[in-house]
Amino acid sequence: MLKILKYLKKSSISVVAIVLLLMVQALCDISLPDYTSKIVNIGIQQGGIENAVPEVIKEDDLKKLMIFIDANKQSQVKDYYHLIKYKDTESDSYKKNIDKYPALKNENLYVLKDIDKDELKDLNELLSKSEMALLTIENNKNQDNKIKESILKSFPIELSVKMKDKSLIEIMEYLPKEKTNAIKKEIMKKIEKMPDSIIEQSAIIYVNKEYKSIGIDMDRLQNKSILKSGTQMIAIAILSMFVTIIVTFLAAKVAAKLGKTLRTDVYEKVMSFSNEEMKKYSTASLITRSTNDIQQIQVMMVMILRFIFYAPMMAVMGIFKVVNTNVSMTWIIGVAVLFIVFLLSILFTFVMPKFKLVQKLVDRLNLVSREIITGIMPIRAFSNQEYEEKRFEEANRNLTKVNIFVNRIMSFMMPSMILVMNLIGILIVYKGTYSIDSGTMQVGDMMAFIQYTMQIIMSFLVIAMMSVMIPRASVSASRICEIIETNPTIKDSLDIKTFNPDKKGVVEFKNVSFKYPDAEEEVLSDISFIANPGETTAFIGSTGSGKSTLVNLIPRFFDATKGQILVDGTDIRDVKQFELREKIGYVPQKGILFTGTIASNLRYGNRNATDDEIKEAADIAQASEFINSKPEGVEFKIAQGGTNVSGGQKQRLSIARAIAKNPEIYIFDDSFSALDLKTDAALRKELKRKTSESTVLIVAQRISTILHAEQIIVLDEGKIIGKGTHEELLKTCEIYKQIALSQLSKEELGNE
């Protein structure tokens, strides 16, 4: 898979953009639970009050708070506030705040100045415990009365009667400093033992009471807080949505570009394959690799770009947030991850070996399907439909069984993961209720903890899914790389030479031998001859004598294992394959046509051929009659594989295609076998006129096709056993004579 990733260099900018955008998306998604917590904790439970620092407080109430603040810190607290006196009705501060704080008409108020986050944090710490102390005294009447009684006993009777109806805080103002500090120390000692969350919540209750006494609209304050957090939450969600859309678009674009590049590279590599490589990789396998395998990689690449960076970010950020929310419940995350790892280990054990098998079975199914479709006529002719159906059914059944097994195991994973998530959610609620009851956690924090946990579990789930899918894509990637990294046995020389114009059209074999890779015996042995321009060189021999193999060496479909093949006086291995093949007009044994029109097929070797040249080629190939019989003429549509024309018509069009190219060298590999004798004779007569300056090489089975060739080469078991004209070979080559007599009578041979 890593080898495939190098193809992403062309899309590096997009990949970097995706990573950066995923960071933005992760930050957005991980921040949403915070806002849920704010809405519940601050907006609903705390009535919109964010901290223990009141924005406005009565002068008398601030004095009470100062009792529980160290003397050296009291001036610092006052510095954070601005005093507005109710009698200063003409001051700007009074006019500015009278509408907001109705209590200003009768009370002096301290209004909070603009302070930064650090100052707000310091002030919150200073005030929260003092507010808790005041609230404790106000709420705990029994303890308050006991302290009052003990204090009043120490007062003179007159003062004791006077202070009887006063509050404990008011009474403490008359006490000596040492006595006040002792009472304060006793109260603060109890507060110090309380959890921070309880202190903060109690301080919030105090601030709430203070705001109500000042006349602040608490419903409006609460709604404002909820709307603020909700609006921010919606904005972040919308931003996350847009980032997700952009990331998905870029990921799809990068994956599509990768797929295009891989298909191009595979196609170009396959085009460079010789027959040896084509035999190594079946056609069905090459098609599967070019389509299904690349599609697997393309889909996987979208998943990688979309989730492989995002999931770890979310997992790390989620764990960080969970630790900050409540450390005591982080073990729940560990339990969830262990369950996921356990489930995945089961999946990997059973599923992973099957992924490699799936692609091989797809190859097999494609191979069987291709063979059945292309061989439908002989299948019907031999009434073997039932046998082929069984072959297809077997291949289809094997693939289906493996796919069903894989899908069953995979379908088990998602419900299992959902079950784990739900059980973890229940466990968090169960443990969270105890924390809420003890005051160490708020409801909003528990809700945020659940969301963070779900995000972490989902991140691990995505990572798990990717770890299951990547090996399958890796199988496809290795199959693609196998094609791309295959070195063709036939390739251009590093020292390119040019053709000799003085020997234009001359084809020469010098002691050429050839054997197929891994074969023990040679197919051709010590072949030597020269084919000159303006002459026809024919090859004849029994089946398997090496005729087609010999002519296939000229365009370098194979390379000779020994000896040299010269074209225009230059070894064909020293020139570019493209330039060599540009000189050749090749007609294979089996006429092959391409989807399109007759005209597009005839122009296949010469895109610039004029209509007159196309017509001339069709005339020479004896194809004009059936072309003209079509209403569309040369624009008649050819079906895939030329299935809508006969074998003879297909062969004549293949011959016309080579003629339209007007090459230096013509190679006809048994290309006249589907023609009747009359058409064969007429075609050869016209062809002789057209190729008067070209070199013609003909592989034939029929003596009548090569009777008038200037040079006939007789092959037997890969060796030349006869060379000469028809008349010469009848006298000197017994095998040629036997072939001739098997096809023509002595009288016909004499007449010829």
Side-chain angles (χ1 to χ4, degrees):
M1 192 69 184
L2 293 175
K3 292 179 181 178
I4 296 295
L5 295 180
K6 68 181 181 181
Y7 288 91
L8 293 177
K9 288 181 180 178
K10 296 178 181 178
S11 303
S12 56
I13 295 175
S14 295
V15 173
V16 171
I18 288 170
V19 174
L20 294 175
L21 287 169
L22 286 174
M23 290 178 68
V24 174
Q25 184 188 349
L27 288 170
C28 289
D29 292 347
I30 207 69
S31 66
L32 289 175
D34 274 343
Y35 288 95
T36 303
S37 178
K38 280 184 181 179
I39 289 171
V40 175
N41 291 344
I42 297 172
I44 297 173
Q45 289 187 302
Q46 296 175 193
I49 301 169
E50 294 188 23
N51 51 58
V53 179
E55 292 184 5
V56 60
I57 187 170
K58 293 177 183 178
E59 184 180 21
D60 292 342
D61 290 333
L62 185 60
K63 284 181 182 178
K64 293 176 183 178
L65 286 176
M66 291 299 182
I67 295 173
F68 297 96
I69 297 175
D70 292 340
N72 57 346
K73 295 285 186 180
Q74 290 179 5
S75 59
Q76 182 183 347
V77 172
K78 284 188 176 181
D79 287 341
Y80 289 133
Y81 283 92
H82 174 64
L83 177 62
I84 304 173
K85 296 182 179 181
Y86 73 93
K87 291 182 179 180
D88 295 338
T89 56
E90 298 301 318
S91 69
D92 292 336
S93 297
Y94 182 91
K95 292 176 181 179
K96 183 180 178 182
N97 290 282
I98 186 63
D99 292 333
K100 290 171 64 178
Y101 311 122
L104 191 57
K105 292 178 181 179
N106 303 308
E107 298 275 356
N108 292 337
L109 301 181
Y110 276 96
V111 178
L112 188 67
K113 297 177 183 178
D114 291 331
I115 57 177
D116 59 31
K117 289 182 179 179
D118 292 334
E119 291 172 330
L120 183 65
K121 184 179 179 182
D122 292 339
L123 187 57
N124 189 71
E125 290 178 1
L126 288 170
L127 293 178
S128 58
K129 291 180 181 178
S130 299
E131 291 165 345
M132 175 67 179
L134 281 175
L135 196 68
T136 302
I137 291 171
E138 291 174 2
N139 290 340
N140 197 338
K141 295 296 181 182
N142 292 331
Q143 186 178 359
D144 186 20
N145 291 332
K146 287 178 181 179
I147 296 172
K148 278 174 65 177
E149 287 175 7
S150 64
I151 294 172
L152 291 173
K153 285 178 182 179
S154 64
F155 283 180
I157 296 174
E158 296 82 5
L159 185 61
S160 175
V161 172
K162 184 180 177 182
M163 292 291 175
K164 188 176 181 180
D165 295 328
K166 299 284 185 180
S167 67
L168 177 61
I169 299 299
E170 291 172 324
I171 293 171
M172 285 173 67
E173 292 178 3
Y174 291 88
L175 289 174
K177 189 175 181 181
E178 294 78 12
K179 189 73 173 177
T180 303
N181 288 338
I183 295 171
K184 184 177 74 171
K185 187 176 181 181
E186 184 68 24
I187 294 171
M188 296 304 289
K189 187 178 179 181
K190 293 178 180 178
I191 291 173
E192 291 288 347
K193 294 179 181 179
M194 295 181 181
D196 290 341
S197 58
I198 290 180
I199 294 172
E200 186 176 349
Q201 289 171 40
S202 298
I204 294 292
I205 293 171
Y206 175 86
V207 174
N208 189 299
K209 288 177 65 178
E210 183 67 23
Y211 280 176
K212 285 179 180 178
S213 68
I214 291 170
I216 294 174
D217 187 345
M218 296 307 296
D219 289 338
R220 185 168 176 268
L221 182 65
Q222 185 178 43
N223 291 336
K224 184 180 177 182
S225 174
I226 293 172
L227 283 172
K228 180 183 175 183
S229 297
T231 303
Q232 291 173 335
M233 199 172 182
I234 291 169
I236 289 170
I238 291 171
L239 176 61
S240 177
M241 179 190 73
F242 278 115
V243 169
T244 303
I245 291 170
I246 295 169
V247 167
T248 304
F249 170 77
L250 290 175
K253 188 176 179 181
V254 170
K257 191 173 182 179
L258 174 65
K260 178 187 174 185
T261 303
L262 289 175
R263 278 190 292 271
T264 300
D265 286 1
V266 169
Y267 171 78
E268 290 177 353
K269 179 63 72 169
V270 171
M271 286 296 100
S272 70
F273 281 176
S274 66
N275 287 14
E276 181 181 338
E277 285 80 43
M278 293 302 292
K279 288 179 179 178
K280 180 181 178 182
Y281 304 106
S282 68
T283 304
S285 178
L286 290 174
I287 291 172
T288 304
R289 293 174 199 235
S290 301
T291 52
N292 183 272
D293 284 332
I294 291 178
Q295 185 68 25
Q296 287 279 351
I297 294 169
Q298 195 168 319
V299 171
M300 190 68 247
M301 190 52 60
V302 173
M303 299 292 287
I304 288 174
L305 293 173
R306 183 66 188 86
F307 297 112
I308 204 73
F309 300 114
Y310 175 77
M313 287 181 200
M314 285 296 293
V316 172
M317 291 180 183
I319 291 170
F320 178 76
K321 286 283 189 178
V322 161
V323 170
N324 286 340
T325 303
N326 193 304
V327 180
S328 64
M329 291 204 297
T330 50
W331 62 271
I332 295 174
I333 306 296
V335 172
V337 172
L338 283 175
F339 266 112
I340 291 170
V341 171
F342 173 72
L343 288 171
L344 288 176
S345 61
I346 295 173
L347 288 172
F348 270 85
T349 303
F350 290 101
V351 173
M352 290 312 301
K354 300 296 182 182
F355 280 149
K356 294 181 180 180
L357 183 60
V358 165
Q359 296 305 110
K360 292 181 180 178
L361 292 174
V362 170
D363 279 353
R364 176 63 185 168
L365 183 64
N366 283 342
L367 176 65
V368 172
S369 301
R370 183 181 176 84
E371 285 181 345
I372 292 172
I373 292 168
T374 55
I376 190 68
M377 292 180 70
I379 290 170
R380 288 173 178 169
F382 286 96
S383 298
N384 266 344
Q385 290 97 322
E386 187 176 341
Y387 170 75
E388 294 299 335
E389 282 176 10
K390 287 180 180 178
R391 281 183 67 212
F392 179 82
E393 181 60 30
E394 182 184 2
N396 193 21
R397 185 172 58 253
N398 291 338
L399 178 59
T400 303
K401 282 171 64 178
V402 175
N403 273 327
I404 288 174
F405 177 83
V406 170
N407 289 330
R408 278 177 178 168
I409 298 294
M410 294 299 289
S411 64
F412 168 76
M413 183 171 70
M414 188 55 69
S416 301
M417 294 300 177
I418 292 171
L419 177 63
V420 169
M421 289 171 65
N422 290 332
L423 291 175
I424 291 299
I426 293 169
L427 185 58
I428 291 170
V429 172
Y430 175 76
K431 293 295 294 181
T433 50
Y434 286 98
S435 298
I436 292 169
D437 185 56
S438 63
T440 58
M441 177 184 268
Q442 289 183 273
V443 175
D445 292 335
M446 186 183 75
M447 293 174 66
F449 192 94
I450 291 172
Q451 287 180 283
Y452 290 136
T453 305
M454 293 305 108
Q455 287 176 333
I456 293 167
I457 293 173
M458 285 303 297
S459 298
F460 277 99
L461 177 58
V462 169
I463 293 169
M465 289 288 292
M466 296 296 293
S467 62
V468 171
M469 295 173 69
I470 286 175
R472 184 174 183 180
S474 296
V475 173
S476 295
S478 63
R479 284 159 56 88
I480 296 299
C481 289
E482 187 180 6
I483 297 294
I484 294 173
E485 293 174 359
T486 297
N487 290 318
T489 53
I490 297 175
K491 48 192 173 184
D492 291 335
S493 170
L494 296 176
D495 183 18
I496 298 295
K497 295 181 181 178
T498 57
F499 292 102
N500 185 351
D502 296 332
K503 293 187 176 182
K504 184 177 179 181
V506 177
V507 177
E508 182 177 2
F509 275 57
K510 287 185 175 181
N511 308 112
V512 172
S513 297
F514 173 78
K515 68 175 180 180
Y516 289 104
D518 302 324
E520 296 181 0
E521 297 182 359
E522 291 181 335
V523 179
L524 297 172
S525 301
D526 197 26
I527 304 295
S528 297
F529 68 88
I530 297 175
N532 293 309
E535 296 181 357
T536 298
T537 299
F539 303 91
I540 196 168
S542 59
T543 302
S545 59
K547 305 183 295 298
S548 294
T549 302
L550 187 149
V551 294
N552 283 334
L553 293 175
I554 299 170
R556 291 193 72 190
F557 296 154
F558 301 100
D559 265 345
T561 49
K562 293 180 184 177
Q564 279 185 303
I565 302 172
L566 308 177
V567 170
D568 292 5
T570 307
D571 193 318
I572 59 174
R573 287 172 290 198
D574 294 334
V575 297
K576 288 185 177 180
Q577 295 178 64
F578 175 79
E579 292 179 1
L580 170 65
R581 290 164 185 166
E582 276 293 286
K583 291 178 172 290
I584 298 170
Y586 178 76
V587 184
Q589 282 182 340
K590 182 182 178 182
I592 298 172
L593 299 180
F594 300 94
T595 306
T597 64
I598 290 175
S600 68
N601 272 276
L602 297 186
R603 286 193 174 95
Y604 195 78
N606 181 8
R607 297 295 180 188
N608 299 318
T610 64
D611 291 341
D612 291 338
E613 289 173 334
I614 291 296
K615 185 178 183 304
E616 182 189 16
D619 289 340
I620 294 171
Q622 307 301 302
S624 295
E625 184 178 347
F626 88 84
I627 291 174
N628 294 332
S629 67
K630 307 292 183 184
E632 304 92 337
V634 292
E635 296 305 318
F636 175 74
K637 297 287 185 182
I638 298 294
Q640 183 179 358
T643 54
N644 57 341
V645 293
S646 68
Q649 291 170 345
K650 196 184 298 184
Q651 203 163 58
R652 278 178 279 171
L653 289 175
S654 298
I655 294 168
R657 178 171 59 200
I659 294 169
K661 186 177 180 181
N662 195 24
E664 292 180 17
I665 303 166
Y666 288 88
I667 297 177
F668 298 98
D669 186 3
D670 200 12
S671 309
F672 305 99
S673 57
L675 305 180
D676 59 83
L677 293 174
K678 180 182 177 183
T679 304
D680 184 0
L683 193 155
R684 284 188 287 106
K685 180 180 178 183
E686 293 297 320
L687 186 63
K688 187 67 178 177
R689 176 182 58 79
K690 175 67 176 177
T691 61
S692 59
E693 295 181 359
S694 301
T695 305
V696 179
L697 302 166
I698 297 177
V699 173
Q701 296 286 355
R702 292 199 305 227
I703 291 290
S704 59
T705 303
I706 61 173
L707 280 172
H708 303 291
E710 282 77 13
Q711 180 178 221
I712 300 173
I713 296 174
V714 184
L715 295 174
D716 185 46
E717 295 184 356
K719 298 177 182 177
I720 296 178
I721 58 170
K723 187 191 300 183
T725 62
H726 171 67
E727 292 79 9
E728 291 171 350
L729 289 172
L730 284 174
K731 297 175 183 177
T732 60
C733 183
E734 184 62 29
I735 289 181
Y736 180 81
K737 185 177 180 181
Q738 290 175 6
I739 294 172
L741 289 172
S742 68
Q743 296 180 19
L744 300 171
S745 64
K746 290 184 178 181
E747 291 76 12
E748 288 174 321
L749 287 173
N751 292 335
E752 290 291 348

